[in-house]
Amino acid sequence: MRRFGFVRASLFALVGGLGIVSLPASFAAEPGAQPAPAAKVQEAAKVGLHWVEGKHLPGVTDAEGFQSSCDPDSIVYLHLKPALALTPELVTSVTRKSLDLSGSGLSTSNIMVTIELTDEARKTLAAACPDNETKMVAVVLNGRHWGIHRYEKDDNKPFVPDQARAKSFAPSCGFMPGNDAYEMVKVLSKPKE
């Protein structure tokens, strides 16, 4: 076996050194060695709605929280698993708008994505909500949150905007970079026939 390994390594050095042939890495590996893993295939983007908690819950939320508002004490934690993984079948429409907020001292290109959910998606999200208490939900694209929204399952609670009510919930994401906004719209749009 040793002689074969020496011959194989010598042949690899000779041929590779001349630049004649590029041999696979497994050719020069020791007998019984596992081949190198194949390159990871680019996965499709993932968009989900994740519940948000005010404290870290081991095994439920991400250990690293983030600031959710201008208040430095408003640290929140995303659930590890989405309450609802979004697909084109669960979305009636998704729109992308570029807003010029330069009059307020902000950029001329602030991109916002609005997602209209199907009734089925709204019912599934409501079923995933453990109680009638006010919840917060974030839109997450490939592990990065883009907007946190109030979510109210109680239809009788006063002073709740329609877009925050479970029966008409419509999340949006603002101030997104163009490539992320484009990716979200592409993933959630139905293919054109």
Side-chain angles (χ1 to χ4, degrees):
M1 266 319 201
R2 285 180 162 261
R3 187 168 29 154
F4 180 74
F6 173 77
V7 170
R8 183 173 49 178
S10 298
L11 178 62
F12 181 72
L14 174 67
V15 175
L18 294 173
I20 299 172
V21 169
S22 175
L23 298 173
S26 60
F27 183 79
E30 289 300 314
Q34 296 295 319
K40 188 174 179 181
V41 176
Q42 178 78 22
E43 292 182 17
K46 294 179 183 173
V47 181
L49 298 177
H50 292 246
W51 298 124
V52 177
E53 302 293 343
K55 63 182 180 179
H56 171 58
L57 303 173
V60 176
T61 64
D62 193 356
E64 186 177 327
F66 61 91
Q67 188 174 331
S68 65
S69 72
C70 295
D71 178 2
D73 294 328
S74 65
I75 305 300
V76 295
Y77 302 83
L78 284 175
H79 276 225
L80 296 170
K81 295 181 181 176
L84 183 64
L86 295 178
T87 63
E89 293 76 29
L90 296 175
V91 174
T92 57
S93 71
V94 57
T95 56
R96 183 180 143 229
K97 293 181 192 172
S98 183
L99 307 171
D100 181 354
L101 301 176
S102 58
S104 301
L106 298 172
S107 171
T108 58
S109 181
N110 298 283
I111 299 174
M112 182 173 176
V113 175
T114 304
I115 303 166
E116 291 292 329
L117 302 173
T118 64
D119 288 339
E120 176 190 345
R122 288 188 184 111
K123 288 176 186 171
T124 302
L125 186 61
C129 187
D131 51 36
N132 275 354
E133 296 300 313
T134 300
K135 295 286 288 178
M136 299 303 281
V137 65
V139 180
V140 177
L141 170 67
N142 293 332
R144 186 170 179 193
H145 62 88
W146 289 108
I148 297 178
H149 302 277
R150 176 180 175 185
Y151 184 82
E152 293 289 350
K153 199 170 165 182
D154 183 357
D155 285 339
N156 299 319
K157 194 166 202 170
F159 310 112
V160 176
D162 284 341
Q163 108 175 22
R165 292 195 183 275
K167 65 181 178 185
S168 52
F169 185 66
S172 60
C173 311
F175 300 98
M176 295 181 81
N179 55 341
D180 287 337
Y182 173 77
E183 188 71 19
M184 186 176 286
V185 170
K186 184 173 102 177
V187 167
L188 296 179
S189 296
K190 291 179 176 68
K192 296 190 178 181
E193 297 177 18

